[in-house]
Amino acid sequence: MIDMELFEYTVTNLLKGFGTTLQIGLFGIGLSLLVGMALALMRVSGNKLAVGFAFGYSTVFRGTPLLVQLFILYYGLGTLGFIRHTPALWWIFSDGTRCAILAIALNSGAYIGEVFRGGFQSIPNGQIEAAKAIGMRPFKRFCRVSFPLAIRQALPAYSNEIILVIKGTSLASTIAVMDLTGHAKRLMNQSYAIIETFMIAGLLYLAINFTLLAIVHVIERWLHIAKR
């Protein structure tokens, strides 16, 4: 029989971490989109320096674990003198939640950059040439032709990255952030109700991912209708 008092206590405490997980996930997704788009534009720019930088960045951040990157940002860079004496930098690196957001944004941005690079490279040359032929300026051509077409191509793969970002937020608990996983660990040590605690935590992660995927699905349908 389920101990309702323990169940309510577990849910109440996990919901405290739910907000932190949501904060890290949503800010991480937003910042990683900006990083990824910048990297994708560098990769297709034709500028050797920009291409080289984007390729190197992608190789480093995709080739090393997110957990290692998180530790370097929080436990490594946070100990450097110039960061401690620079208020703006110290504001970021002194807080585990903000470090987690930064680490997820930098890591996920490398993957998203590759996703959008593929989207840009899949645009038919005829579409670009047609836009040039009618006298579209580069910025207008990007906004009306390149970006919408790339988004349609990249959105299915991008939705997978969103799932990975939300799951990656659980690593924030390793730097003492009391997110959903952090609260689950503490409850496990208090009540030893391991299965119940982590099943509820898993359902809450699933709820976040289900909601975000539903939003992406709505955007996909809207883009499909707009295309027709």
Side-chain angles (χ1 to χ4, degrees):
M1 184 178 293
I2 298 175
D3 186 337
M4 290 306 299
E5 185 177 344
L6 176 61
F7 177 79
E8 290 177 4
Y9 178 77
T10 300
V11 171
T12 300
N13 279 274
L14 287 179
L15 287 176
K16 294 178 183 177
F18 182 83
T20 302
T21 291
L22 200 59
Q23 177 188 359
I24 295 171
L26 293 181
F27 276 103
I29 289 169
L31 291 175
S32 66
L33 181 59
L34 297 177
V35 172
M37 184 60 66
L39 292 172
L41 292 175
M42 289 181 189
R43 290 296 298 273
V44 300
S45 66
N47 183 291
K48 290 184 179 180
L49 287 176
V51 171
F53 172 81
F55 177 77
Y57 179 99
S58 178
T59 300
V60 170
F61 278 90
R62 291 194 301 150
T64 54
L66 174 58
L67 182 60
V68 172
Q69 296 164 17
L70 185 60
F71 280 2
I72 289 173
L73 289 177
Y74 187 69
Y75 294 116
L77 295 182
T79 62
L80 298 179
F82 79 92
I83 287 180
R84 287 178 173 273
H85 295 98
T86 305
L89 293 176
W90 183 237
W91 181 80
I92 295 172
F93 292 103
S94 63
D95 181 78
T97 300
R98 289 190 281 268
C99 263
I101 292 172
L102 179 61
I104 287 174
L106 295 176
N107 179 272
S108 181
Y111 290 93
I112 292 172
E114 293 301 303
V115 169
F116 279 102
R117 177 178 68 90
F120 283 120
Q121 291 179 337
S122 68
I123 300 172
N125 287 329
Q127 298 272 14
I128 303 299
E129 294 302 323
K132 290 180 179 178
I134 62 174
M136 273 194 186
R137 295 182 178 275
F139 182 74
K140 191 175 183 180
R141 188 165 66 242
F142 173 79
C143 293
R144 293 195 175 183
V145 180
S146 301
F147 184 70
L149 291 175
I151 284 288
R152 291 192 187 107
Q153 296 294 328
L155 206 53
Y158 178 61
S159 63
N160 292 331
E161 185 57 31
I162 288 177
I163 294 174
L164 294 177
V165 166
I166 297 301
K167 291 193 294 186
T169 61
S170 62
L171 294 176
S173 63
T174 62
I175 56 172
V177 175
M178 292 306 292
D179 64 337
L180 191 50
T181 300
H183 276 280
K185 288 179 179 178
R186 189 178 70 175
L187 287 169
M188 178 189 69
N189 293 328
Q190 291 175 347
S191 65
Y192 299 101
I194 300 173
I195 296 177
E196 297 88 341
T197 299
F198 281 96
M199 280 186 65
I200 297 171
L203 289 173
L204 290 173
Y205 278 113
L206 185 62
I208 297 174
N209 276 325
F210 182 81
T211 303
L212 292 177
L213 288 178
I215 293 172
V216 172
H217 180 66
V218 169
I219 296 173
E220 279 190 88
R221 289 189 62 185
W222 178 76
L223 289 174
H224 181 70
I225 293 171
K227 182 180 179 181
R228 291 192 299 178

